[in-house]
Each structure stands twice: as C-alpha cells, then as structure tokens.
Amino acid sequence: MKKVLITRKLIKSSEEFASKIFDVKLNHSDEILTNDELILKSKDCDGILTSITDKLDSNIIFKLSDKIKIISNFAVGFGNIDIQAATKKNIVVTNTPDVLTDATAEITILILLAATRRAKEGIDWVEKKNWKWAANFLMGKQLTGSRLGILGMGRIGRAVADRARAFKMKIHYHNRSRLNKNLEKDAVYHSSLQSLLSVSDFFSINCPATPNTKNIINSKTIKYLPNGAVIVNSARGDMIDDDSMVDALKSGKIFALGLDVYNGEPDIHSDYLTLPNVFVLPHLGSSTIKTRTAMANLAIQNMLDFFKTGETKNKVN
Ligand code: GLV
C-alpha cells in the first residue's frame, strides 16, 4: 500500500476513501504545516495531497524525500507549487479541473451582483436599523444589456459567460488564443488586454496565476477601463495590484470591486475592508459540499491512477 500525506483535513467521506486505498497520514488538527513539518511528515511517503495553503516553492521541493513521486493539489490552480522545481525533481503534479467550474462560476456571479448592487452597504444599513426607502437610496448599476469582459476564457471563464448571458450581458474576452466557434458562441474576442478593458463595463478575472499575469490589473491597465467599471476576481489575488486598485476605487474610476481571492491571503489589503464599494468573501469559490467532495475524490483518484499506471490525466507538468 502506498503511503500518502494529506496536509489538510478533508471532508470525512473523502478521508475514508483515501484511508481504504492508501496508508494515510491525516492532519486531524487541520493546522497548516510549517515547511519543516511538511518535509518531515512526508519523509516516508510516496505522495502528498496538498491544498492551496501549502506553499511549495523550490526550496521546499528540493528538500522533499526522493521517495515522493506525486504532489496532488486539491485545487484547479497550482500557483502554490513551483512546477519547474517539481519537474526537475521528477515529481508529478496534478490538479482538480472541471469539478469546480460551476461552483466557481456561481460565486463569480455572486460577487458581481453583490458589488454592483451595493449589497455590503445595504446589509450595513439594515444592521444599523435606521434605513428608510428613498428614490436615490444606494443606487447601483444594472448588468442587463451591459458588456462583460472576461480575462481568461477557460472552463471557468466560459461558465461565467454562460451565466452572464442569462442576464443579457454581451460577452467580450481576451485569452491566449481565440476559442473555436463552438466554445466562443456569441462572445467577442479581443487580441489584447487593452482592447478588452476598453469595452468592459464589467470585468471578470478568470485566468490562471502565472508570472505573466502577476499585477496584470495595475495603475496603467485600470486606465483603459470605462469610467465607473465594476471588477470581480474569483481567480487569484496576485493578478491585482492592490494599491492601484484602492486608488481607483477611491477616485470613482472603479465603481465597485468584488473579491473572493487576495494577495497573500488570508491577509487582505486593509482598505478593502473599509471601502464601502468593495464586497469581499473568504475564498469560497469551490466551497459547496458537492464540489469539495468531488475535488477531494479527484485529488485522491489522481494519485491512485498514477500509482497504478504511472500516468494520471490531470497532470500539469
Ligand atoms: C481554488 O481556488 C482552486 O484553485 O481550486
């Protein structure tokens, strides 16, 4: 039986599934392991099932035992793992695509609507118990008939587009390459980010975090947006330069911002917590019972396939 370390607590049924097929080391306290703990606890293991809270940079990867042949990440994003270092060390890295597409698209619509319709301010007024209806009370913007720019038209970007079409939004997108007609549907392709931004009344970040997308939304690119645009990010926090974003929120250049992910999370730029036009959630994108169960089971299955056949379909390196 192969031995695996599961760095964070999973849903009970998934831990039971893993325990049936592997000799597992579980993390009952669910405390994030320090680098030294991760290296030590995985020493006699054949694989590690990691979460996005585990930061496996090259320094840690090269210190891992040579016995470890697979890192199965419990997420679709794998920016928390230095892939080049893993490849050099002959470690296969896998992720959990597809199963979280719908849940993440749903939370994107949630933060899009909440930011646009000023839900946070609304809740604050209700809690203060001193609000009264007025014709101009907390006026927001309307999605219907507006243009939604999507950066990254992969599975999640396309699922966001499908939902936005139900709001009669006109979809525009920028992607590394243009999609084929079947996937593109009625969406308008922009070959540059600048061109996409210039038509985005609403703008959703759905691309993977890579060195190329770090701070891609910054003081220069924000200027290309129409005045009063709304931005949402359900992908990764490091795509936004927070100081520039805060300036744009304060000046009104950006009408509102909806966030589920943060630079250096769980820390959050302090102004995001005090500005009235920012709606924040604690990285809940994939957090439904159905999705988290499917993700954990897929992460386990990725390891099982690899140990059985040497291959696994969700390999990212
Ligand atoms: C969640 O953020 C994921 O990448 O799966």
Side-chain angles (χ1 to χ4, degrees), residues 52 74-77 96 100 235-236 283 286 295:
I52 54 170
F74 175 53
V76 68
T96 61
L100 46 63
R236 284 292 182 268
H283 203 147
S286 62
M295 285 168 69

Side-chain angles (χ1 to χ4, degrees), residues 240-261:
I240 294 180
D241 172 40
D242 293 327
D243 288 333
S244 308
M245 180 59 74
V246 164
D247 288 346
L249 285 159
K250 286 183 177 165
S251 74
K253 170 72 191 175
I254 302 298
F255 178 75
L257 173 70
L259 293 175
D260 188 41
V261 290

Side-chain angles (χ1 to χ4, degrees), residues 10-267:
L10 301 177
I11 289 168
K12 194 162 172 268
S13 62
S14 304
E15 290 194 342
E16 283 166 3
F17 171 41
S19 309
K20 275 193 198 127
I21 53 178
F22 301 128
D23 179 2
V24 285
K25 284 193 192 177
L26 300 173
N27 178 354
H28 297 293
S29 75
D30 203 25
E31 290 292 320
I32 298 173
L33 302 178
T34 63
N35 296 348
D36 287 345
E37 283 169 341
L38 196 134
I39 293 162
L40 195 69
K41 283 188 192 287
S42 63
K43 224 179 159 84
D44 54 348
C45 292
D46 303 281
I48 313 178
L49 195 153
T50 50
S51 291
I52 54 170
T53 50
D54 302 307
K55 310 290 175 212
L56 281 85
D57 60 15
S58 59
N59 200 22
I60 300 186
I61 298 224
F62 288 121
K63 285 189 189 147
L64 291 175
S65 145
D66 289 338
K67 199 166 181 258
I68 293 162
K69 295 291 178 241
I70 179 165
I71 297 173
S72 174
N73 207 35
F74 175 53
V76 68
F78 43 87
N80 56 312
I81 300 170
D82 186 324
I83 298 294
Q84 272 188 344
T87 309
K88 262 199 200 142
K89 199 159 171 7
N90 258 325
I91 298 178
V92 163
V93 179
T94 59
N95 70 342
T96 61
D98 297 316
V99 290
L100 46 63
T101 300
D102 290 330
T104 310
E106 287 174 9
I107 213 104
T108 308
I109 297 298
L110 192 166
I111 57 177
L112 180 65
L113 278 170
T116 304
R117 299 303 298 272
R118 306 177 63 176
K120 173 182 151 54
E121 291 166 274
I123 294 165
D124 287 349
W125 276 103
V126 170
E127 284 177 354
K128 280 190 224 137
K129 296 192 172 130
N130 65 349
W131 64 279
K132 52 179 182 308
W133 185 93
N136 63 353
F137 184 46
L138 290 186
M139 290 186 296
K141 295 199 168 212
Q142 199 150 315
L143 303 186
T144 313
S146 301
R147 297 166 299 183
L148 172 65
I150 299 181
L151 176 62
M153 203 60 158
R155 301 173 192 85
I156 297 172
R158 296 198 303 274
V160 170
D162 282 342
R163 284 152 180 82
R165 286 184 182 100
F167 288 98
K168 300 188 171 63
M169 299 187 89
K170 180 74 198 147
I171 312 301
H172 293 251
Y173 75 100
H174 171 61
N175 202 46
R176 266 169 306 181
S177 53
R178 186 170 178 170
L179 303 182
N180 68 41
K181 274 278 154 216
N182 273 352
L183 296 178
E184 188 176 76
K185 300 181 184 166
D186 56 356
V188 180
Y189 176 65
H190 293 256
S191 57
S192 72
L193 174 64
Q194 177 175 348
S195 165
L196 176 68
L197 288 166
S198 71
V199 299
S200 297
D201 306 312
F202 296 85
F203 183 74
S204 176
I205 303 174
N206 295 106
C207 60
T210 68
N212 292 336
T213 58
K214 193 168 171 56
N215 289 337
I216 194 161
I217 301 304
N218 53 47
S219 58
K220 185 166 159 240
T221 51
I222 286 172
K223 286 203 184 96
Y224 300 134
L225 284 159
N227 290 336
V230 174
I231 299 187
V232 291
N233 187 8
S234 58
R236 284 292 182 268
D238 49 9
M239 246 86 82
I240 294 180
D241 172 40
D242 293 327
D243 288 333
S244 308
M245 180 59 74
V246 164
D247 288 346
L249 285 159
K250 286 183 177 165
S251 74
K253 170 72 191 175
I254 302 298
F255 178 75
L257 173 70
L259 293 175
D260 188 41
V261 290
Y262 308 89
N263 259 314
E265 60 185 55
D267 293 339

